[in-house]
Amino acid sequence: MIGAWISAHGQACLRAFKRMGASPAASIISTLVIGIAIMLPLGLYSLFSNVTAAASRLNTEPNVNVYLQVAAKDDDALQTEKRLKAIANVAEVKFVPREVALAEMKRLASMADLLNGLDTNPLPHAFTLRPRATDEASLEQMQKELLALPKVDAVVMDFEWAKKLKRFATFAERLVMLLGAVLALAVVFVTGNTIRLQILTQKDEIEVSRLIGATKRFVRRPFLYFGALQGALAGGVAVAAMAALIWWAGQEVHALTISYGSDFQLQYLNAAQIASIIGIGAFLGWLGAYLSVSLYLRSARTV
Amino acid sequence: MITFSNTVKRYPNGFEALKGVTLSIAKGEMVAITGHSGAGKSTLLKLAAGIEAASKGSVLVNNQNLAEIKETGLGVLRRNLGLVFQDHKLLFDRNAFENVALPLSIAQFPRADIGKRVRAALDKVGLLDREKAHPITLSGGEQQRLCIARAIVNRPAILIADEPTGHLDQSYGATILDLFKSFNQVGVTVLLSTHDELNLARLKCRRIHLEMGRVAT
């Protein structure tokens, strides 16, 4: 029973290869069209993942600055430092004494004259914190905790640009998903149309087969293999084209980043990604074939 | 083995091809359906093969009501029938061997068995030496015999043939009907439709005459 099942699938697969070989020009053109359709979202995905990788090399960690009241003494600063270290989300605490802050400001030429004219130091003691969790919710919770501490006057969080980057990443991700979905539909339609043309040339065989006992599953099987095979090949075409594009653009990008003191290089797709793309291509091809044959069998006269 | 009970077949355009046919064909019997064009002969055979569905009444084959059989079951049923079509329904891009092998491929026979059975069937109809020939190169009579070989290759218990002598001359028609008689003599139930009154008289089988979609005799 299992042997017969394997044999039936083997024959269907063989017939799919034969059908593909029977009209090589049409098969190559269809495969290239599907490959290009897969390559477009793949290219965007690759661009997006490379931008993300490049961004992750930048210091995007938000700094949190805590300013004490101007009247706060050295002892208050000491107590506050202990309290800051006790907050769960605080990974590192750096104390900036008011004297050091003033000295740094005086080093700025534009501020020196103005500060030299003052009798007293107007700057408060301050702390620069490095948070453990940098998501928006954790930082907002942390801000509340810091403001509740005694002698704390203000808390300034520098994470707006990180939020912008995150929004951009989310937008890019959604764009890739949307384009991917639209082009996945295109792959299904292109494969479906290829299969529809094949069905028309094999209408007699299908009709006779149905009349002498072929089930719809039997009729459908070689077309499904054909669709899956074409989709997988198209996935391979998209991967190869993408690799060529990354190689071509990668040389320029590398030369550019070296001039900025970075060794950043464009990433090629890894084995798991390649397998996924070929698998998705095969699935979309299979789906297109399934829909096309099912529609035909539903409309066919033979019961 | 095949039972029609008050069977009506009405087509979507309103034409009633069968108007309450009741008849029964026993196992091992050979029955010829006769009647003028449009009498309902082909429709009756299509209903027996499950190619068309009855509008009213029932059709039972091997005690199975065809109206109650699902798609897969219908496939199994047809694989156990031998069908000979008036227009042969041969595949012109395949040779004689491949045409006859088709039902065996569908029934998932092992490759070695397929070769033996196909050659046995071709031998039975006298086409063993034409196994590589494409249908286009065969005469009308040879095409009909090829169609019969395809019908018998599964060794079915029931053979259903629609006008198997329709396009043949008298003597060739006699050869074809003799072939059906020989299958019947080894226990195959044969149900065929024909206009060939002369050859039919020789066969000495039961005849059912249809007129305007009703059994006349």
Side-chain angles (χ1 to χ4, degrees), chain B residues 116-159:
Chain B
K116 281 181 202 161
R117 282 185 178 235
V118 169
R119 289 191 180 94
L122 286 171
D123 192 26
K124 198 87 180 163
V125 300
L127 286 177
L128 188 55
D129 58 338
R130 308 298 308 273
E131 71 170 54
K132 295 233 163 52
H134 277 72
I136 196 79
T137 65
L138 301 176
S139 68
E142 285 175 324
Q143 286 186 12
Q144 188 61 283
R145 281 192 280 156
L146 188 60
C147 185
I148 294 169
R150 189 181 61 192
I152 61 164
V153 74
N154 258 348
R155 295 173 194 163
I158 303 172
L159 259 178

Coordinates of all heavy atoms in Angstrom, one line a residue, chain B residues 116-159:
Chain B
K116 N 2.8 -6.8 -18.5 CA 2.2 -8.1 -18.8 C 0.7 -7.9 -19.2 O 0.2 -8.5 -20.2 CB 2.3 -9.0 -17.6 CG 3.6 -9.6 -17.4 CD 3.6 -10.5 -16.2 CE 5.0 -10.7 -15.7 NZ 5.0 -11.1 -14.3
R117 N 0.0 -7.1 -18.4 CA -1.5 -7.0 -18.6 C -1.8 -6.3 -19.9 O -2.7 -6.6 -20.6 CB -2.1 -6.2 -17.4 CG -2.3 -7.1 -16.2 CD -3.1 -6.3 -15.2 NE -3.3 -7.2 -14.0 CZ -4.5 -7.4 -13.5 NH1 -5.6 -6.8 -14.0 NH2 -4.7 -8.1 -12.4
V118 N -1.0 -5.2 -20.2 CA -1.3 -4.5 -21.4 C -1.0 -5.4 -22.7 O -1.9 -5.4 -23.6 CB -0.3 -3.2 -21.5 CG1 -0.4 -2.6 -22.9 CG2 -0.7 -2.2 -20.4
R119 N 0.0 -6.1 -22.6 CA 0.3 -7.0 -23.8 C -0.8 -8.1 -23.9 O -1.2 -8.4 -25.0 CB 1.7 -7.6 -23.7 CG 2.7 -6.5 -24.0 CD 4.1 -6.9 -24.2 NE 4.9 -5.7 -24.4 CZ 5.6 -5.1 -23.4 NH1 5.6 -5.6 -22.2 NH2 6.3 -4.0 -23.7
A120 N -1.2 -8.6 -22.8 CA -2.3 -9.6 -22.8 C -3.6 -9.0 -23.4 O -4.2 -9.6 -24.3 CB -2.6 -10.1 -21.4
A121 N -3.9 -7.8 -23.0 CA -5.1 -7.1 -23.6 C -5.0 -6.8 -25.1 O -5.9 -7.0 -25.8 CB -5.4 -5.8 -22.8
L122 N -3.8 -6.3 -25.5 CA -3.5 -6.0 -26.9 C -3.6 -7.3 -27.7 O -4.1 -7.3 -28.8 CB -2.2 -5.3 -27.1 CG -2.1 -3.9 -26.6 CD1 -0.7 -3.4 -26.6 CD2 -3.0 -3.0 -27.5
D123 N -3.1 -8.4 -27.1 CA -3.1 -9.7 -27.8 C -4.6 -10.1 -28.0 O -5.0 -10.6 -29.1 CB -2.4 -10.7 -27.0 CG -2.1 -12.0 -27.7 OD1 -2.1 -11.9 -29.0 OD2 -1.9 -13.0 -27.1
K124 N -5.4 -9.9 -27.0 CA -6.8 -10.3 -27.0 C -7.5 -9.7 -28.2 O -8.4 -10.3 -28.8 CB -7.4 -9.9 -25.7 CG -8.7 -10.6 -25.4 CD -8.5 -12.0 -24.7 CE -9.8 -12.7 -24.4 NZ -9.5 -14.1 -24.1
V125 N -7.2 -8.4 -28.4 CA -7.9 -7.7 -29.5 C -7.1 -7.7 -30.8 O -7.5 -7.0 -31.8 CB -8.2 -6.2 -29.1 CG1 -9.1 -6.2 -27.9 CG2 -7.0 -5.4 -28.9
G126 N -6.0 -8.4 -30.9 CA -5.3 -8.6 -32.1 C -4.4 -7.4 -32.4 O -4.1 -7.1 -33.6
L127 N -3.9 -6.7 -31.5 CA -3.1 -5.5 -31.7 C -1.7 -5.6 -31.1 O -1.1 -4.5 -30.9 CB -3.8 -4.2 -31.2 CG -5.0 -3.7 -32.0 CD1 -5.6 -2.5 -31.3 CD2 -4.6 -3.3 -33.4
L128 N -1.3 -6.8 -30.8 CA 0.0 -6.9 -30.1 C 1.1 -6.3 -30.9 O 2.1 -5.7 -30.3 CB 0.2 -8.4 -29.7 CG 1.4 -8.6 -28.8 CD1 1.3 -7.8 -27.5 CD2 1.5 -10.1 -28.5
D129 N 1.0 -6.5 -32.2 CA 2.1 -6.0 -33.0 C 2.1 -4.5 -33.3 O 2.9 -4.0 -34.0 CB 2.1 -6.8 -34.4 CG 0.8 -6.7 -35.1 OD1 -0.2 -6.4 -34.4 OD2 0.8 -6.8 -36.3
R130 N 1.0 -3.9 -32.8 CA 0.9 -2.4 -33.0 C 1.1 -1.6 -31.7 O 0.6 -0.5 -31.6 CB -0.5 -2.1 -33.6 CG -0.9 -2.9 -34.8 CD 0.0 -2.6 -36.0 NE 0.3 -1.2 -36.3 CZ -0.5 -0.5 -37.1 NH1 -1.6 -1.1 -37.7 NH2 -0.3 0.8 -37.4
E131 N 1.7 -2.2 -30.7 CA 1.8 -1.5 -29.4 C 2.5 -0.2 -29.4 O 2.2 0.7 -28.6 CB 2.4 -2.5 -28.3 CG 3.9 -2.7 -28.5 CD 4.5 -3.4 -27.3 OE1 3.9 -4.5 -26.9 OE2 5.4 -2.9 -26.7
K132 N 3.4 0.0 -30.4 CA 4.1 1.3 -30.5 C 3.4 2.3 -31.4 O 3.9 3.4 -31.5 CB 5.5 1.0 -31.0 CG 6.4 0.2 -30.0 CD 7.7 0.9 -29.7 CE 8.4 0.4 -28.5 NZ 8.6 -1.1 -28.4
A133 N 2.4 1.8 -32.0 CA 1.7 2.7 -33.0 C 0.9 3.7 -32.3 O 0.3 3.5 -31.2 CB 0.8 1.9 -33.9
H134 N 0.8 4.9 -32.8 CA 0.0 6.0 -32.3 C -1.4 5.9 -32.9 O -1.6 5.4 -34.0 CB 0.6 7.4 -32.5 CG 1.6 7.7 -31.5 ND1 2.8 7.1 -31.5 CD2 1.6 8.6 -30.5 CE1 3.6 7.6 -30.5 NE2 2.8 8.5 -29.9
P135 N -2.5 6.2 -32.1 CA -3.8 6.0 -32.6 C -4.1 6.6 -34.0 O -4.9 6.1 -34.8 CB -4.7 6.7 -31.5 CG -3.9 6.6 -30.3 CD -2.5 6.7 -30.7
I136 N -3.4 7.7 -34.3 CA -3.7 8.4 -35.6 C -3.3 7.5 -36.7 O -3.8 7.6 -37.8 CB -2.9 9.8 -35.6 CG1 -3.4 10.7 -36.7 CG2 -1.4 9.6 -35.8 CD1 -4.6 11.4 -36.4
T137 N -2.4 6.6 -36.5 CA -1.9 5.7 -37.6 C -2.8 4.4 -37.7 O -2.6 3.6 -38.5 CB -0.5 5.2 -37.4 OG1 -0.4 4.5 -36.2 CG2 0.5 6.4 -37.3
L138 N -3.8 4.3 -36.8 CA -4.6 3.1 -36.8 C -5.9 3.3 -37.5 O -6.4 4.5 -37.6 CB -5.0 2.7 -35.3 CG -3.8 2.3 -34.4 CD1 -4.3 2.0 -33.0 CD2 -3.0 1.1 -34.9
S139 N -6.5 2.3 -38.1 CA -7.8 2.4 -38.8 C -8.9 2.6 -37.7 O -8.7 2.4 -36.5 CB -8.1 1.2 -39.6 OG -8.3 0.1 -38.7
G140 N -10.1 2.9 -38.2 CA -11.2 3.1 -37.3 C -11.5 1.8 -36.4 O -11.7 1.9 -35.2
G141 N -11.4 0.7 -37.1 CA -11.6 -0.6 -36.4 C -10.6 -0.9 -35.4 O -10.8 -1.4 -34.3
E142 N -9.3 -0.6 -35.8 CA -8.2 -0.8 -34.9 C -8.3 0.1 -33.6 O -8.0 -0.3 -32.5 CB -6.9 -0.6 -35.6 CG -6.5 -1.7 -36.5 CD -5.2 -1.4 -37.3 OE1 -5.1 -0.3 -37.7 OE2 -4.5 -2.4 -37.6
Q143 N -8.7 1.4 -33.9 CA -8.9 2.3 -32.8 C -10.0 1.8 -31.8 O -9.9 1.9 -30.6 CB -9.3 3.7 -33.3 CG -8.2 4.4 -34.0 CD -8.6 5.8 -34.4 OE1 -9.6 6.4 -34.0 NE2 -7.7 6.5 -35.2
Q144 N -11.1 1.2 -32.4 CA -12.1 0.6 -31.6 C -11.6 -0.5 -30.8 O -11.9 -0.7 -29.6 CB -13.3 0.2 -32.5 CG -14.5 -0.2 -31.7 CD -15.1 0.9 -30.9 OE1 -14.6 1.2 -29.8 NE2 -16.2 1.5 -31.3
R145 N -10.8 -1.4 -31.4 CA -10.2 -2.5 -30.7 C -9.2 -2.0 -29.6 O -9.1 -2.6 -28.5 CB -9.5 -3.5 -31.7 CG -10.5 -4.3 -32.4 CD -9.8 -5.4 -33.2 NE -9.2 -4.9 -34.4 CZ -8.2 -5.5 -35.0 NH1 -7.6 -6.6 -34.5 NH2 -7.7 -5.0 -36.2
L146 N -8.5 -1.0 -29.9 CA -7.6 -0.4 -28.9 C -8.4 0.1 -27.7 O -8.0 -0.1 -26.5 CB -6.8 0.8 -29.5 CG -5.7 1.3 -28.6 CD1 -4.6 0.3 -28.3 CD2 -5.0 2.5 -29.3
C147 N -9.5 0.7 -28.0 CA -10.4 1.2 -26.9 C -11.0 0.0 -26.1 O -11.0 0.1 -24.8 CB -11.6 2.0 -27.5 SG -12.7 2.8 -26.4
I148 N -11.2 -1.1 -26.8 CA -11.7 -2.3 -26.0 C -10.6 -2.9 -25.2 O -10.8 -3.3 -24.0 CB -12.3 -3.4 -27.0 CG1 -13.5 -2.8 -27.7 CG2 -12.6 -4.7 -26.3 CD1 -14.0 -3.6 -28.9
A149 N -9.4 -2.9 -25.7 CA -8.2 -3.4 -24.9 C -8.1 -2.5 -23.7 O -7.8 -3.1 -22.6 CB -7.0 -3.3 -25.8
R150 N -8.2 -1.2 -23.8 CA -8.1 -0.4 -22.6 C -9.2 -0.7 -21.6 O -9.0 -0.6 -20.4 CB -8.2 1.1 -23.0 CG -7.9 2.1 -21.9 CD -8.0 3.5 -22.3 NE -9.4 3.8 -22.8 CZ -9.7 4.9 -23.4 NH1 -8.8 5.8 -23.7 NH2 -11.0 5.1 -23.8
A151 N -10.4 -1.0 -22.1 CA -11.5 -1.3 -21.3 C -11.4 -2.7 -20.5 O -11.8 -2.8 -19.4 CB -12.8 -1.4 -22.1
I152 N -10.7 -3.6 -21.1 CA -10.6 -5.0 -20.5 C -9.3 -5.2 -19.7 O -9.1 -6.2 -19.0 CB -10.7 -6.1 -21.6 CG1 -9.6 -6.0 -22.6 CG2 -12.1 -6.1 -22.2 CD1 -9.4 -7.2 -23.4
V153 N -8.3 -4.2 -19.9 CA -7.0 -4.4 -19.3 C -7.1 -4.6 -17.7 O -6.3 -5.2 -17.1 CB -6.0 -3.3 -19.7 CG1 -6.4 -2.0 -19.0 CG2 -4.6 -3.7 -19.5
N154 N -8.1 -4.0 -17.1 CA -8.3 -4.1 -15.7 C -9.0 -5.3 -15.3 O -9.3 -5.6 -14.1 CB -9.2 -2.9 -15.2 CG -8.3 -1.8 -14.5 OD1 -7.2 -2.0 -14.2 ND2 -9.0 -0.7 -14.3
R155 N -9.4 -6.2 -16.3 CA -10.2 -7.4 -16.1 C -11.4 -7.1 -15.3 O -11.7 -7.6 -14.2 CB -9.4 -8.5 -15.4 CG -8.2 -8.9 -16.3 CD -7.3 -9.9 -15.6 NE -6.0 -10.0 -16.3 CZ -4.9 -10.5 -15.8 NH1 -4.9 -10.9 -14.6 NH2 -3.9 -10.6 -16.6
P156 N -12.3 -6.2 -15.9 CA -13.5 -5.7 -15.1 C -14.6 -6.8 -15.1 O -14.6 -7.7 -16.0 CB -13.9 -4.5 -15.9 CG -13.5 -4.8 -17.3 CD -12.2 -5.6 -17.2
A157 N -15.4 -6.7 -14.1 CA -16.6 -7.6 -14.1 C -17.7 -7.2 -15.0 O -18.5 -8.0 -15.3 CB -17.0 -7.7 -12.6
I158 N -17.7 -5.9 -15.3 CA -18.8 -5.3 -16.1 C -18.1 -4.5 -17.3 O -17.2 -3.7 -17.1 CB -19.7 -4.4 -15.3 CG1 -20.3 -5.1 -14.1 CG2 -20.8 -3.8 -16.2 CD1 -21.1 -4.2 -13.2
L159 N -18.6 -4.8 -18.5 CA -18.1 -4.0 -19.7 C -19.3 -3.2 -20.2 O -20.4 -3.8 -20.4 CB -17.7 -5.0 -20.8 CG -16.2 -5.2 -21.0 CD1 -16.0 -6.2 -22.1 CD2 -15.5 -3.9 -21.3

